């Protein structure tokens, strides 16, 4: 399966990825968990570049959840450092691939220096017109909904709640619904990720640990999406 072959079929507009398996990959290699996260970053760059080559409009990466704060302080500190330094150092990668950076999650709950790097990355790449890479950092689906409902309750529109109003008050109010959700690492659950946006997403679960997830498998997962019959609750006339 090649990029050009995939482009001849229907592409998902929005792909979301739960990048699971960094810690287990490191353990299998006899390395510290931090090494797994570093390799996971390399995998993320591979897959985002591949998505850009395919012409996928949005790819959202579950980078750091609201529950991840429960991990060991050393690991959390390393992840914050990795996020901060990656955003600072990868501008040429974004530019080369036309990637625009966006963010979902509770920004104010992050360290000030991480907040600054996220905002700087969004500003620096705002005019790039290729794939939008959405980083879900300090993100939880339930937390996002709670914050959205609070916005609505404090607005003048609280008496006319609709699906459109809720969507407008989510973090990624400009994002389309997820078409394809991919989870690596063998687990088969959403883990509080994009609960509202995944209402009609297609799911692909792979046992491959995230650092080992390569472009060919990503393209195979896109091909699997192309074979799905998406009904959105309706029944085709021919049935």
């Amino acid at each position: 399966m090649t990029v050009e072959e995939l482009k001849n079929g229907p592409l998902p507009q929005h792909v979301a990825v739960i990048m699971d398996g960094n810690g287990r990959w490191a353990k299998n290699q006899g390395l510290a968990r931090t090494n797994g996260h570093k390799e996971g970053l390399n995998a993320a760059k591979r897959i985002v570049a591949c998505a850009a080559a395919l012409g996928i409009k949005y790819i959202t990466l579950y980078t750091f959840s609201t529950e991840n704060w429960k991990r060991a302080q050393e690991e959390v500190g390393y992840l914050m450092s990795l996020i901060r330094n990656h955003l600072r150092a990868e501008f040429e990668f974004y530019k080369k691939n036309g990637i625009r950076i966006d963010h979902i999650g509770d920004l104010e709950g992050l360290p000030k220096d991480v907040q600054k790097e996220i905002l700087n990355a969004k500003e620096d790449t705002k005019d790039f017109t290729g794939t939008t890479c959405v980083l879900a950092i300090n993100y939880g689906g339930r937390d996002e909904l709670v914050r959205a409902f609070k916005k609505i309750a404090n607005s003048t529109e609280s008496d006319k709640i609709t699906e459109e109003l809720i969507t407008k008050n989510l973090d990624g109010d400009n994002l389309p619904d997820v078409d394809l959700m991919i989870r690596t690492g063998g687990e088969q659950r959403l883990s509080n990720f994009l609960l509202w946006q995944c209402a009609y997403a297609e799911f692909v679960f792979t046992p491959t640990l995230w650092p080992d997830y390569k472009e060919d498998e990503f393209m195979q997962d896109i091909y699997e999406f192309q074979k799905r019959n998406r009904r959105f609750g309706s029944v085709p006339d021919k049935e």
Side-chain angles (χ1 to χ4, degrees), residues 19-42 62-65 67-80 82 183 185 187 189 209-211:
M19 307 178 291
D20 196 11
N22 290 344
R24 281 173 286 159
W25 180 90
K27 182 179 180 181
N28 291 345
Q29 306 293 321
L31 301 171
R33 288 178 62 86
T34 51
N35 292 92
H37 295 309
K38 186 175 181 180
E39 285 300 318
L41 171 58
N42 293 330
Y62 206 4
T63 307
F64 188 90
S65 76
E67 290 74 34
N68 286 158
W69 295 108
K70 301 173 185 176
R71 296 186 177 185
Q73 185 175 356
E74 180 184 2
E75 183 175 357
V76 170
Y78 180 83
L79 286 167
M80 288 296 112
L82 195 64
R183 180 166 187 155
E187 304 292 352
R189 55 177 177 267
L209 301 178
W210 177 245

Side-chain angles (χ1 to χ4, degrees), residues 27 56 81 100 107-108 131 148 163 177 198 213 229 235:
K27 182 179 180 181
I56 292 169
S81 174
R100 185 172 73 90
L107 185 67
E108 294 182 0
T131 296
E163 288 187 15
D177 282 347
C198 281
Y213 189 74
N229 181 14
V235 178

Side-chain angles (χ1 to χ4, degrees), residues 1 6 9-16 56 177-182 200-204 217-232:
M1 186 59 56
L6 284 175
L11 289 171
Q13 185 179 17
H14 185 184
V15 177
I56 292 169
D177 282 347
V178 175
D179 297 304
L180 173 62
M181 169 70 75
I182 298 170
Y200 281 100
E202 298 294 324
F203 289 81
V204 172
E217 187 170 358
F218 178 65
M219 290 194 291
Q220 186 61 43
D221 290 342
I222 299 297
Y223 180 60
E224 172 62 27
F225 168 84
Q226 293 180 335
K227 295 188 294 182
R228 303 279 178 91
N229 181 14
R230 305 188 76 200
R231 299 181 181 181
F232 298 98

